[in-house]
Amino acid sequence: MEKFTLNFVADLFEQQLTEQQRNLSIHHIYTDSRQSVEGGLFVPIVGDRFDAHDFISGAIEQGAVAALWSRTEKPDDIPEDFPLIYVDDTLKALQDLAKAYRQELNPTVIGVTGSNGKTTTKELIAACLSVKYKTAKTEGNLNNHIGLPLTILRMERDVDVLVAEMGMSAFGEIELLSLIGQPNHAVITNIGESHIEFLGSREGIAKAKLEIKAGLQKQGQLIIDGDEPLLTSDDYPNKVHCGFHSKNDYRVEAYVQGQEQSNVTINETTFTLPLLGKHQALNAAFAIAVSELMNVSIDQAAKQLETVIIPGMRFEKIETKEGALLINDAYNASATSMIASLDVVKKMDYQRKVAVLADILELGDFAEEAHKKVGQSLDEQFDAIFTFGTSSRFILDGLPATFSGKQKHFTSKQALIEEIASYLDEDTVVLFKGSRSMKLEEIIEAVH
């Protein structure tokens, strides 16, 4: 489906093109020259170790009909009539193009950020709003300074709502994303420890997350974790509080965990959530709060939440041939999310419980403290704690003196795989949790 003609791009960047070039249909805006497209506008990104301008010929072979271009010269090996849109910086141009497209379509944009739970909350909100609106959402990990513009530019022209995840690792990044996406309403799920190495403290993390206000539309609502003082103390006037305390606008009044699902009551409405953990009940509260802002009733939202499907590697359940249950919760990790996942497993009805915990990264000087905090949350309900990596060994140092299960640190994946294999039977559940780059899925695949 056509997003726009090249005329839209040419006018934005004040380019002179022929009438034939201006009438070219643009169906896709993309940055990977290997991607096969029809009617593609190729945006060559310049990185520290690469320059995608070098791959323009491949992009044309794969279906590009035009490209943004920040070099002064036109390559000799591309067709003479192939249109190049000259810009100073292709990344900045991609962001400007996304902002212009967002303004032209003018959907309702829901921005979602936070230390943990961004992706799940984004999925829950999108599911709830889809009952009434044509809804687009961030796919995969397209939540940064490149991914958000691509997410916006993937929208079809008849989209009503975009639920846009916004990630960051340093100050200024959420502000940039907010100014590009210009959310009508925004959600901050929580303040944890993720990226504390770069932000210095939880207060710094809160300051960085609150940058989402930079592009928030006038009268836009800021939906927050109402049990987090670092968020409730902010002076933004239009806030909606979600949490477990009675003071919240959307209160999780009851939570009962089952084996496959949870029973949740929010503002006197009870429903079944196919997710485990009190933190997921809070994420559902965010979704319900946004829904009511968008004139979707709490009953309609609750019905949608009962059938929601969350992307893989987020408490994904896998049964082995021996009958053991593996839980792949290794998409990413912080101390807060690791403790939450461990608490869920504590309540599961298995005779033997094993936790495989890898490094939590980007903690800097806080690494030892954060990993020990995870260890302190563990108790005799676990039969074995296996850690993998470097800093994760501090988890074992934090274990209570009363912990009587097996504990062992590994630096070899193969040795860890062999250890886990001896535990696999129908009475055992094994949780895998760690930062994404630790690649725990390789261990899961080996023991599965």
Side-chain angles (χ1 to χ4, degrees), residues 322-335:
E322 298 88 356
L325 178 65
L326 309 181
I327 298 176
N328 182 355
D329 199 27
Y331 185 79
N332 220 326
S334 66

Side-chain angles (χ1 to χ4, degrees), residues 14-75:
E14 300 179 345
Q15 300 287 299
Q16 297 297 319
L17 298 176
T18 68
E19 183 175 353
Q20 183 178 6
Q21 289 173 328
R22 284 181 172 272
N23 290 329
L24 285 171
S25 292
I26 302 298
H27 296 260
H28 300 277
I29 300 86
Y30 69 114
T31 60
D32 186 347
S33 62
R34 299 164 296 182
Q35 184 178 346
S36 179
V37 300
E38 177 186 353
L41 174 67
F42 177 58
V43 183
I45 300 297
V46 179
D48 293 334
R49 300 181 180 178
F50 68 92
D51 185 341
H53 289 80
D54 296 333
F55 309 120
I56 182 63
S57 295
I60 294 172
E61 291 176 3
Q62 294 289 79
V65 297
L68 299 184
W69 201 254
S70 63
R71 290 181 176 176
T72 56
E73 74 281 0
K74 184 172 183 176

Side-chain angles (χ1 to χ4, degrees), residues 178-336:
S178 183
L179 290 172
I180 294 170
Q182 303 169 66
N184 297 82
H185 304 297
V187 178
I188 304 178
T189 59
N190 66 353
I191 304 300
E193 309 84 9
S194 300
H195 313 301
I196 199 169
E197 176 182 8
F198 309 115
L199 299 169
S201 64
R202 291 186 70 249
E203 288 78 9
I205 294 170
K207 180 180 178 181
K209 299 300 182 185
L210 284 163
E211 290 176 2
I212 201 168
K213 296 184 297 180
L216 190 56
Q217 299 292 289
K218 187 177 181 180
Q219 303 303 318
Q221 298 292 314
L222 183 64
I223 300 96
I224 62 168
D225 177 354
D227 299 332
E228 173 53 73
L230 292 174
L231 294 176
T232 57
S233 61
D234 180 72
D235 60 1
Y236 186 77
N238 304 323
K239 286 191 290 190
V240 178
H241 299 74
C242 301
F244 295 88
H245 295 160
S246 58
K247 62 184 179 181
N248 288 294
D249 302 302
Y250 289 85
R251 181 190 174 202
V252 181
E253 298 164 332
Y255 169 81
V256 180
Q257 179 179 311
Q259 285 296 99
E260 302 292 334
Q261 57 195 26
S262 307
N263 288 329
V264 179
T265 301
I266 297 174
N267 287 16
E268 300 183 352
T269 297
T270 300
F271 58 96
T272 300
L273 187 67
L275 303 170
L276 303 180
K278 292 181 69 176
H279 58 295
Q280 302 291 17
L282 177 58
N283 293 338
F286 294 133
I288 288 173
V290 172
S291 296
E292 292 210 312
L293 284 173
M294 296 290 293
N295 298 312
V296 174
S297 72
I298 190 170
D299 291 332
Q300 289 175 304
K303 186 175 181 180
Q304 291 295 102
L305 291 172
E306 290 189 330
T307 58
V308 72
I309 298 174
I310 301 302
M313 296 184 69
R314 293 173 175 85
F315 223 82
E316 179 183 3
K317 298 177 181 179
I318 305 166
E319 187 172 321
T320 71
K321 58 182 180 296
E322 298 88 356
L325 178 65
L326 309 181
I327 298 176
N328 182 355
D329 199 27
Y331 185 79
N332 220 326
S334 66
T336 299

Side-chain angles (χ1 to χ4, degrees), residues 112 117-126 137-138 163 165:
V112 181
K118 293 185 294 295
T119 299
T120 299
T121 301
K122 174 256 300 181
E123 294 290 334
L124 299 183
I125 293 171
K137 62 184 179 180
T138 302
V163 187
E165 182 178 334

Side-chain angles (χ1 to χ4, degrees), residues 67-92:
L68 299 184
W69 201 254
S70 63
R71 290 181 176 176
T72 56
E73 74 281 0
K74 184 172 183 176
D76 295 331
D77 57 347
I78 69 172
E80 182 63 31
D81 60 348
F82 183 84
L84 297 178
I85 306 295
Y86 290 92
V87 296
D88 292 332
D89 182 323
T90 51
L91 175 56
K92 175 67 164 53

